[in-house]
Every structure is written in structure tokens, then in C-alpha cells.
Amino acid sequence: MSNFHHLTRGIVISDDMVLLAHAIGHKNTFLPGGHVEFGESAPIALKREIEEELGFSCEVERFLGLVEHTWEKNKELHCEINQAFKVRISELEGLKSPTSREPHIEFYWVPVNELDKHNLQPYPFRKLIQQIVNDDDSVWWESTLGSEIDSDNIA
């Protein structure tokens, strides 16, 4: 059995800090956002998810790229496509720890150079967020799936 997930993720950066979400009781963190519903665009889904999770409206500034990821849970294969967008949430500027509206999730800011310590998943986002901080505005694609394509050589 396998499960497919179409996800949209927001990368919120302020003063070399990135906003991460953490599902309480789990070891990894992830970027704000969530599932894209059938017939919904990724930017609209991201705005909806951030409103649901944080209670704030956001500005989706631009498409950054895509990360394919796979993992196994309870002997079931899961595969996800993450569409990532640069997001601005003006109400979060200066807030130390935003309060989650969902009891199973917490949010906090992490220095961009400490994403490994916080086990950000999917892990390709760790490298890609550093590109954003370094003002590399090229659109990117990464994958944790076995592939014959070298992502560094995609034109």
C-alpha cells in the first residue's frame, strides 16, 4: 500500500531565522503549510493552511521550487510532492514563538544554519533555505527518491 501527498510549504525567513513547525511527540520539524485539496491551487492552499495553523493571513511572494520526498511509516510507503513558496506574514515579525491554533503543532524560529539540529524534513529544504538566504533566487528542484537525474544539472 502506498500513500501520495500533494503539499504546499511556506518558507518564512526573518533576520536569518526560519519559521518551523513541530508535531508534538515527533522528532522532526517541517515548514508551515499542508495538504492541497483536490481542485485547489498550491498558493491558495498555503494561505488556507497558514490561516488554520497560525490564525494569520499571509502574502505568498513567489514560487521557490519543488521537493519530492518518500518515507515509510507503519510498513506503508508514503510519497509527497512539496511545492515551496516564499511567504511573508507581517504579524509574525518580532514574535518570538508564534502560538499554534492546532493543539498537536508548535511553531518556533530557528537560525538557518541550525536546521540539521532540528531535523527539518524533507531534508533537501535545509540546503535550499540556505540558497534563499544567500540571495540565490533560482527556482530549484530536489528529490529524496532514487533517480537517474542529477538535480544539479537540470536546466
Side-chain angles (χ1 to χ4, degrees):
M1 172 108 189
S2 63
N3 296 292
F4 176 77
H5 307 271
H6 179 194
L7 302 168
T8 184
R9 298 291 180 195
I11 298 177
V12 184
I13 298 175
S14 178
D15 298 324
D16 288 339
M17 303 282 278
V18 63
L19 184 66
L20 296 185
H22 173 248
I24 297 167
H26 294 267
K27 295 180 180 178
N28 65 297
T29 60
F30 52 94
L31 295 167
H35 285 86
V36 177
E37 295 176 1
F38 184 76
E40 185 177 42
S41 74
I44 295 298
L46 183 55
K47 288 181 176 189
R48 175 185 51 75
E49 285 285 345
I50 287 176
E51 176 75 32
E52 289 172 4
E53 294 172 350
L54 288 162
F56 298 123
S57 60
C58 71
E59 177 185 348
V60 176
E61 294 182 334
R62 69 182 186 91
F63 177 71
L64 297 170
L66 187 136
V67 174
E68 298 174 323
H69 183 58
T70 188
W71 78 97
E72 192 174 302
K73 180 179 178 182
N74 300 328
K75 298 184 181 181
E76 286 187 353
L77 181 64
H78 292 258
C79 184
E80 64 185 31
I81 300 292
N82 293 272
Q83 291 179 265
F85 296 85
K86 189 165 189 332
V87 171
R88 186 169 171 274
I89 307 171
S90 57
E91 291 89 350
L92 289 184
E93 294 170 12
L95 263 184
K96 290 207 185 277
S97 293
T99 302
S100 175
R101 295 179 82 192
E102 298 184 0
H104 64 284
I105 298 174
E106 61 185 347
F107 291 91
Y108 51 89
W109 295 98
V110 172
V112 293
N113 61 352
E114 293 183 9
L115 297 174
D116 287 342
K117 291 181 188 178
H118 294 271
N119 195 21
L120 175 63
Q121 294 295 326
Y123 65 83
F125 277 127
R126 301 174 197 180
K127 178 179 93 172
L128 301 170
I129 288 170
Q130 193 61 51
Q131 283 181 224
I132 298 164
V133 171
N134 293 335
D135 293 326
D136 179 349
D137 63 353
S138 58
V139 174
W140 37 258
W141 169 83
E142 286 286 337
S143 180
T144 65
L145 283 68
S147 175
E148 296 176 10
I149 298 174
D150 178 359
S151 64
D152 292 332
N153 293 320
I154 294 177

